[in-house]
Amino acid sequence: MPKRAFITGITGQDGSYLAELLLAKGYEVHGLVRRSSSFNRGRIDPIYLNAEAGERLFLHYGDMTDGVSLVNLILEIRPDEVYNLAAQSHVRVSFEMPEYTASADGIGTIRLLEAIRAAKLDCRFYQASTSEMFGATPPPQAEDTIFYPRSPYAAAKLYAHWMTVNYREAYDMYAVSGILFNHESPRRGETFVTRKITKAVAAIKAGVQDVLMLGNIDAVRDWGYAKEYVEGMWRMLQADEPSDYVLATGVGTTVREFVEMSFEHADLDWHDYVMFDQRYERPTEVDALIGDPSKARDQLGWKAETGVRELARLMVDADVAALAEGFGTQPR
Ligand code: NAP
Ligand code: GDD
């Protein structure tokens, strides 16, 4: 019998890479998808091009705000591993939708944990926690760094993080929290800053965009390659004992530097195109996130391989190619 995994957020950046990884490892993969009036499966659709992998992929309608759908799916699928990646994951948007963000990202995690507990399922649980939880606490940030969330998103994620820890301690569940620093890819959502930049570079180079409006370009982030981070998630669920881990590169880069690297790769001078727009600032900003991934390296043998310059280049190249192929807005 192949191992059976259930991924919430399978249509997102990480969910799509994780589904590919688990299918390649021989898993049967079940994913939660939201009903949408327009197509929202662009990232996982290519999996069906491989008939053998496509046969082991199953999608189910549900929602993190609908507990009954989660209870029914856990009972029906009876997974060996659950990866809870679904979230309203945009920090700026969480200021506009704090209640929904708390429900999907915070209470949604409880709905899922309770569904597992009620089903008396002996499965392993991964929670997608985030470096945003460190917020105002200065870097470097590790597993034992004090949390200081600075947005409704971070506060909701911190609740989910502590509930994951609590279910591990209270009910002896194999439940782990991966505290992941920013990770990007050509599949990154187009309103996150890296992808917004690389997509703009491709469009400017092609002559179909004149200007790129950005908010705070002095913010520092620790950017890695998403494809490598999903391997870390899987490793966390294969360890002998459940524990929480930071995944990061350990290198901090400003948004300004990411802009420079991306424009430079396309032989463009960013000063000619980038303008400040206050609308992209946040009521409370997280100034600097730089992770210390020593524990994951020592205990899981996990290490980020792709540096930020290489990441910027591969994302620009992918956006240039997508535009040339006429797939300008299709995440791949
Ligand atoms: P993403 O691309 O925004 O994907 C989010 C996924 O969650 C999508 O599949 C989305 O479905 C789904 N979703 C959103 N609300 C939902 C709801 N109410 N019910 C069911 N599904 C819902 O995010 P990502 O970058 O892959 O990140 C994956 C997870 O890791 C998220 O929890 C995020 O907060 C966390 N995280 C991300 C990073 C990062 O740098 N990428 C770092 C730390 C933690 P649709 O496709 O239908 O929108
Ligand atoms: N999105 C966006 N758009 N961000 C901008 C812009 C802009 O036009 N201009 C400047 N920024 C700055 C933001 O203020 C922030 O400091 C930084 O760029 C990164 O913003 P995002 O790419 O939106 O990512 P994030 O760091 O807020 O959140 C991402 O990483 C978290 C992990 O640290 C998301 O993926 C979260 O879901 C994740 O938890």
Side-chain angles (χ1 to χ4, degrees):
M1 277 284 281
K3 266 194 180 175
R4 196 173 296 157
F6 178 47
I7 305 175
T8 72
I10 194 168
T11 55
Q13 170 188 258
D14 292 5
S16 64
Y17 283 121
L18 181 64
E20 286 170 4
L21 178 83
L22 297 180
L23 287 166
K25 288 183 184 297
Y27 279 65
E28 181 179 300
V29 174
H30 294 256
L32 183 75
V33 292
R34 299 195 283 183
R35 195 269 157 181
S36 152
S37 70
S38 56
F39 191 65
N40 64 353
R41 301 180 193 179
R43 295 184 178 98
I44 48 172
D45 226 26
I47 293 173
Y48 292 107
L49 297 177
N50 176 328
E52 200 271 321
E55 267 187 6
R56 284 182 284 115
L57 176 63
F58 302 88
L59 302 178
H60 309 265
Y61 284 111
D63 198 292
M64 295 306 290
T65 59
D66 177 14
V68 173
S69 68
L70 299 177
V71 168
N72 288 338
L73 285 174
I74 288 292
L75 282 171
E76 181 190 329
I77 299 165
R78 303 197 72 78
D80 301 296
E81 295 175 7
V82 174
Y83 295 86
N84 184 30
L85 309 187
Q88 190 303 93
S89 72
H90 203 284
V91 174
R92 180 72 185 81
V93 172
S94 78
F95 287 96
E96 316 297 329
M97 304 174 71
E99 185 184 334
Y100 173 75
T101 304
S103 181
D105 302 12
I107 310 289
T109 305
I110 285 300
R111 294 185 184 108
L112 192 51
L113 284 166
E114 274 299 291
I116 294 167
R117 202 167 72 87
K120 300 193 185 338
L121 207 60
D122 183 21
C123 74
R124 296 188 167 201
F125 179 83
Y126 173 88
Q127 169 59 19
S129 287
T130 164
S131 50
E132 273 289 306
M133 300 187 308
F134 297 122
T137 308
Q141 292 112 349
E143 292 80 2
D144 54 0
T145 300
I146 291 167
F147 297 121
Y148 190 151
R150 295 265 288 171
S151 65
Y153 166 78
K157 282 285 188 177
L158 187 53
Y159 172 75
H161 171 77
W162 280 121
M163 290 314 291
T164 302
V165 173
N166 182 245
Y167 273 56
R168 178 167 75 221
E169 294 173 353
Y171 306 119
D172 205 21
M173 275 177 66
Y174 191 112
V176 310
S177 191
I179 307 172
L180 272 53
F181 283 64
N182 298 49
H183 46 280
E184 321 292 310
S185 75
R187 297 182 193 175
R188 184 58 145 151
E190 291 159 14
T191 58
F192 296 97
V193 79
T194 56
R195 184 79 198 289
K196 184 174 170 182
I197 294 165
T198 62
K199 196 165 169 267
V201 166
I204 290 168
K205 190 74 182 170
V208 294
Q209 186 171 331
D210 298 328
V211 66
L212 169 61
M213 311 296 282
L214 292 175
N216 173 24
I217 62 173
D218 293 319
V220 174
R221 290 294 183 274
D222 178 331
W223 281 297
Y225 185 21
K227 202 171 180 177
E228 295 165 4
Y229 284 53
V230 300
E231 167 78 24
M233 295 177 189
W234 176 77
R235 287 191 191 195
M236 285 182 215
L237 289 200
Q238 314 312 310
D240 291 339
E241 295 297 329
S243 190
D244 304 325
Y245 297 89
V246 158
L247 297 186
T249 68
V251 177
T253 306
T254 61
V255 174
R256 182 192 309 273
E257 287 166 330
F258 193 92
V259 166
E260 271 166 9
M261 290 172 196
S262 304
F263 277 78
E264 202 179 280
H265 185 53
D267 295 323
L268 295 168
D269 183 348
W270 69 276
H271 298 94
D272 297 338
Y273 306 98
V274 175
M275 289 179 67
F276 172 71
D277 189 331
Q278 198 184 355
R279 284 176 300 177
Y280 296 111
E281 287 195 316
R282 286 134 196 223
T284 39
E285 173 65 291
V286 169
D287 294 327
L289 295 173
I290 308 172
D292 172 1
S294 311
K295 182 178 170 187
R297 183 196 58 213
D298 297 345
Q299 297 186 13
L300 302 176
W302 181 89
K303 191 174 175 298
E305 301 292 344
T306 306
V308 65
R309 187 174 291 278
E310 192 183 342
L311 180 64
R313 285 182 180 159
L314 75 85
M315 288 177 67
V316 168
D317 289 344
D319 276 319
V320 167
L323 200 61
E325 289 163 20
F327 294 112
T329 57
Q330 188 73 12
R332 298 173 314 148

